[in-house]
Amino acid sequence: MGLAIARGAKASGFLKPSEICVSDLNPKVLDTCRAEGFAVVENSAAAADHSEVLLLAVTPQVCDAALFELGAARISCLLSIVTGVSISYLQDALGPVPVIRAMPNTPLQAGYGSTAITASED
């Protein structure tokens, strides 16, 4: 879903491909991202350091590991699409970071969909 959002931002002209910084554990995803012109970094902490808004697009099973990796990162704003992980849970793990939670639906991957959004008070 993260790749679908990045592709949508690129296709709409909202962001240039070089303005999208990607980190992923899957080498095939990284190869795809490089081929599409996205900036690729070695880990999510490095992605955070290069981002105004960091998109956290992981499965709930690996969320804690991703949050641990982000623990020392400088995060300006976190946009999470992780299912079932609350804003307070994210802020407990990362400290006082502004958080936006979004729940996109599957049709978004085809360019048609809707997204529910909520945000922390800050």
Side-chain angles (χ1 to χ4, degrees), residues 1 3 6 8 15 18 24 28 30 35 47 50 60-61 66-67 69 72 82 85 88 93 97-98 103 107 120:
M1 187 61 76
L3 184 55
L15 293 171
S18 62
D24 199 291
K28 290 181 181 182
L30 295 179
H50 290 87
Q61 296 86 344
L67 292 173
E69 187 174 302
V82 182
V85 178
S88 60
V97 172
M103 290 291 105
S120 60

Side-chain angles (χ1 to χ4, degrees), residues 1-121:
M1 187 61 76
L3 184 55
I5 292 169
R7 285 177 170 156
K10 173 185 164 182
S12 70
F14 182 72
L15 293 171
K16 296 174 191 168
S18 62
E19 294 176 314
I20 300 171
C21 185
V22 178
S23 172
D24 199 291
L25 297 176
N26 185 332
K28 290 181 181 182
V29 170
L30 295 179
D31 289 343
T32 299
C33 290
R34 282 187 193 95
E36 294 192 28
F38 302 140
V40 173
V41 294
E42 70 277 1
N43 60 52
S44 56
D49 290 340
H50 290 87
S51 302
E52 289 181 39
V53 177
L54 178 68
L55 173 62
L56 182 61
V58 298
T59 61
Q61 296 86 344
V62 299
C63 185
D64 286 339
L67 292 173
F68 180 77
E69 187 174 302
L70 288 169
R74 186 186 69 234
I75 302 171
S76 300
C77 180
L78 180 73
L79 170 56
S80 171
I81 63 167
V82 182
T83 304
V85 178
S86 69
I87 288 172
S88 60
Y89 188 89
L90 296 167
Q91 289 179 322
D92 286 346
L94 299 173
V97 172
V99 175
I100 301 166
R101 263 189 90 207
M103 290 291 105
N105 62 1
T106 305
L108 187 72
Q109 293 177 329
Y112 303 96
S114 61
T115 303
I117 298 174
T118 188
S120 60
E121 291 184 22

